[in-house]
Amino acid sequence: MKFTKMQGLGNDYVYVNCFQEKIENPSELSIKVSDRHFGIGADGLILIKPSDVADFEMEMYNADGSQGAMCGNGIRCVAKYVYDYGLTDKTSITVNTKSGIKYLDLTIENGKAVQIRVNMGAPILEASRIPVVSSKERVINEPVIVDGKEYHITAVSMGNPHAVTYIDDVKGLEIEKIGPQFENHEIFPDRVNTEFVKVLDSHTVEMRVWERGSGETLACGTGACAVAVASILNGLTEEEVTVKLLGGDLKIRWDRKENLVYMTGPAEVVFDGEF
């Protein structure tokens, strides 16, 4: 199997061109290739496939083999792959995902895609659709007890569920301890991605993320979008936010008139190989 390893802000995946390759058991393959000691090493596996409803289809699997609905960093890499490797010459493309069709605009330099803006669609705020168990229609700055401590969370889905909580010390957080407690908390029936956030100013936040099925990653595109939406809903930032992640920065804008979230960031090829 030929593959390309790519990363968006350090959120790395193994990409397979399914126009040329046939993958029988992607869940099992994702576990194997993601292993950083015995495999290639990645946060998961992403298959680039033909689509009847869009230019391409993205099918993604986490490092534990579970299938994900959407990955913001991953879809930017899909856009770079299909342009750089000659599957398209268009600079505006559509990609079908489990959370719907996404619209991407590519910035090209020297024949390569270097920056990608993704229309991530409308944020989902209804508790039942995220899903999060709550007596309220929306979960905004609501208290929850995790590992004996009270946190306040804002729940947002960007095609996958996120719990955003604000803390004073992001860098010193013992995320390996608290992350799994959030991920598997009883109020999240499908588990949850958790963003731990510190607001720096009205246009800038920093965050660390614990992703369901993958643990801490250097970046999470849908998580950054959820953080921007949550920060705006809580009156902490303006509509355009720079989200500082361990792997770098993403620019997020929530156009509240259109109710659409736009994410802009880089994508890079690490290497090609065979597995």
Side-chain angles (χ1 to χ4, degrees):
M1 175 194 82
K2 292 183 178 179
F3 71 88
T4 300
K5 180 168 174 175
M6 304 182 75
Q7 59 91 6
L9 301 184
N11 193 192
D12 58 338
Y13 287 86
V14 171
Y15 291 78
V16 178
N17 178 356
C18 290
F19 287 79
Q20 298 176 349
E21 303 281 348
K22 186 174 182 181
I23 304 302
E24 298 291 348
N25 192 332
S27 180
E28 184 179 297
L29 179 63
S30 185
I31 295 170
K32 288 180 179 178
V33 300
S34 297
D35 192 296
R36 297 189 184 275
H37 299 287
F38 298 102
I40 298 164
D43 291 324
L45 171 71
I46 291 180
L47 308 181
I48 302 171
K49 307 175 78 172
S51 172
D52 293 331
V53 295
D55 294 319
F56 302 95
E57 181 175 329
M58 176 181 95
E59 189 175 304
M60 69 158 294
Y61 295 83
N62 297 309
D64 67 352
S66 60
Q67 188 171 4
M70 175 56 189
C71 174
N73 292 309
I75 200 170
R76 292 201 316 277
C77 290
V78 168
K80 178 174 177 61
Y81 184 99
V82 297
Y83 187 89
D84 288 10
Y85 287 78
L87 275 66
T88 186
D89 59 2
K90 297 197 295 184
T91 57
S92 293
I93 65 168
T94 55
V95 178
N96 191 34
T97 74
K98 277 193 76 179
S99 65
I101 296 174
K102 306 301 178 188
Y103 301 84
L104 298 88
D105 296 304
L106 289 65
T107 299
I108 308 301
E109 291 180 6
N110 299 318
K112 303 287 185 183
V114 294
Q115 197 88 348
I116 295 96
R117 187 182 85 147
V118 187
N119 178 345
M120 299 287 284
I124 296 169
L125 301 174
E126 295 85 353
S128 61
R129 294 179 60 204
I130 290 172
V132 54
V133 176
S134 175
S135 60
K136 298 190 176 181
E137 184 180 346
R138 294 184 173 187
V139 176
I140 300 174
N141 197 33
E142 292 294 326
V144 61
I145 303 297
V146 182
D147 198 28
K149 180 180 176 182
E150 183 177 276
Y151 295 82
H152 283 77
I153 65 165
T154 297
V156 180
S157 173
M158 292 302 308
N160 49 8
H162 295 272
V164 179
T165 187
Y166 296 90
I167 61 175
D168 295 328
D169 181 15
V170 171
K171 292 181 174 67
L173 176 69
E174 293 184 275
I175 197 168
E176 296 82 5
K177 181 185 176 201
I178 193 63
Q181 302 288 334
F182 268 93
E183 178 181 352
N184 298 292
H185 197 282
E186 60 186 7
I187 68 169
F188 303 112
D190 292 344
R191 298 185 294 163
V192 77
N193 304 282
T194 309
E195 287 75 34
F196 301 90
V197 184
K198 181 178 181 179
V199 178
L200 301 182
D201 58 48
S202 62
H203 291 281
T204 318
V205 301
E206 64 174 338
M207 71 172 242
R208 287 172 68 186
V209 58
W210 183 268
E211 294 197 55
R212 59 176 183 172
S214 291
E216 183 175 23
T217 59
L218 295 180
C220 175
T222 58
C225 293
V227 164
V229 169
S231 299
I232 294 162
L233 287 173
N234 283 287
L236 300 172
T237 65
E238 302 296 331
E239 286 191 5
E240 190 158 310
V241 186
T242 296
V243 181
K244 305 182 81 64
L245 305 106
L246 292 179
D249 297 352
L250 286 173
K251 298 272 189 189
I252 312 295
R253 182 168 70 88
W254 182 18
D255 186 324
R256 299 190 75 174
K257 287 184 179 179
E258 295 183 352
N259 193 28
L260 295 172
V261 178
Y262 295 91
M263 171 191 65
T264 304
E268 294 185 9
V269 172
V270 182
F271 61 85
D272 298 302
E274 291 191 29
F275 184 81

